[in-house]
Amino acid sequence: MKQYLSASKYIDFDHPDVAALAKELALGAAGEFDLVRRCFEYVRDDIRHSSDFKLNPVTCRASEVLRHKTGYCYAKSHLLAALLRANGIPTGLCYQRLSVGDAGAPYCLHGLNAVHLPDLGWYRLDPRGNKPGIDAQFSPPAERLAFAIKAAQERDLPEIWAEPLAIVVETLERHDSYDQVLANLPDVELAG
């Protein structure tokens, strides 16, 4: 579990602002589930999704997301991982492969998190941000993610990564504006 508890370049909970927020969110929490809920709801509700709100700059590191209060799903998942790891809760990164439109090509990755909960194990949660048609919640043991898998080439990728995928980081760091990222969303080829 050590890798899911560590600070890193992108999950930088050792940054003073991230560490302070993690401590603030933990104050008065009635146990681990309540703490996870508080961190999740903060990132889901208080950090605006870059594309939904047409916001710049493009963020990637957890500390950047917190400073600018905006990020794509990937960056928001980096902040949630940082807040939870800072509080000693093992947290990883997950991805879904989804259709960019209603069905069919093109496809893109969607970033979310998995948290290791007592008596439950790994549980996915999606801090993307709600809007009409999207209602992600923290309601264990049931998962309530932003998007359901519907098309044949869509997938819930089963891996839980300790660090963001290189293609995600490259996309976020290469582009200067939310609309450039939107036009170049990362994707992976499905095996077999």
Side-chain angles (χ1 to χ4, degrees):
M1 285 293 175
K2 184 180 176 186
Q3 64 182 339
Y4 299 109
L5 289 165
S6 300
S8 67
K9 180 176 180 179
Y10 299 102
I11 303 172
D12 57 342
F13 67 78
D14 47 356
H15 187 283
D17 295 340
V18 178
L21 178 60
K23 187 175 181 179
E24 178 185 324
L25 289 167
L27 288 176
E32 194 166 312
F33 276 55
D34 188 39
L35 176 54
V36 172
R37 180 184 322 282
R38 286 170 174 227
C39 292
F40 165 72
E41 289 178 353
Y42 176 86
V43 176
R44 183 194 66 190
D45 300 341
D46 292 5
I47 304 297
R48 294 171 293 183
H49 189 280
S50 298
S51 179
D52 288 355
F53 289 90
K54 299 179 176 18
L55 293 174
N56 294 312
V58 176
T59 57
C60 188
R61 293 179 194 224
S63 57
E64 294 172 335
V65 177
L66 181 57
R67 178 172 53 252
H68 298 290
K69 298 282 193 275
T70 188
Y72 267 89
C73 57
Y74 323 105
K76 290 181 71 163
S77 72
H78 302 167
L79 177 58
L80 181 56
L83 294 172
L84 293 171
R85 288 182 186 184
N87 281 300
I89 299 171
T91 308
L93 306 171
C94 304
Y95 299 93
Q96 293 176 310
R97 184 177 196 249
L98 301 171
S99 174
V100 173
D102 287 335
Y107 295 91
C108 69
L109 291 176
H110 169 61
L112 55 152
N113 296 91
V115 59
H116 198 271
L117 298 173
D119 302 321
L120 195 61
W122 287 108
Y123 173 83
R124 292 182 308 163
L125 62 170
D126 192 338
R128 181 219 177 273
N130 290 338
K131 64 180 188 175
I134 295 176
D135 185 28
Q137 300 293 329
F138 176 69
S139 57
E143 289 182 345
R144 295 211 19 218
L145 305 177
F147 303 106
I149 300 302
K150 296 184 275 187
Q153 293 297 309
E154 293 185 333
R155 295 283 189 286
D156 282 320
L157 303 182
E159 298 87 355
I160 299 170
W161 284 274
E163 294 299 320
L165 292 179
I167 191 170
V168 167
V169 170
E170 179 185 320
T171 299
L172 295 175
E173 291 187 334
R174 182 175 26 147
H175 299 292
D176 296 323
S177 66
Y178 82 88
D179 53 335
Q180 290 173 342
V181 173
L182 188 60
N184 294 281
L185 292 169
D187 188 20
V188 294
E189 292 295 320
L190 296 177

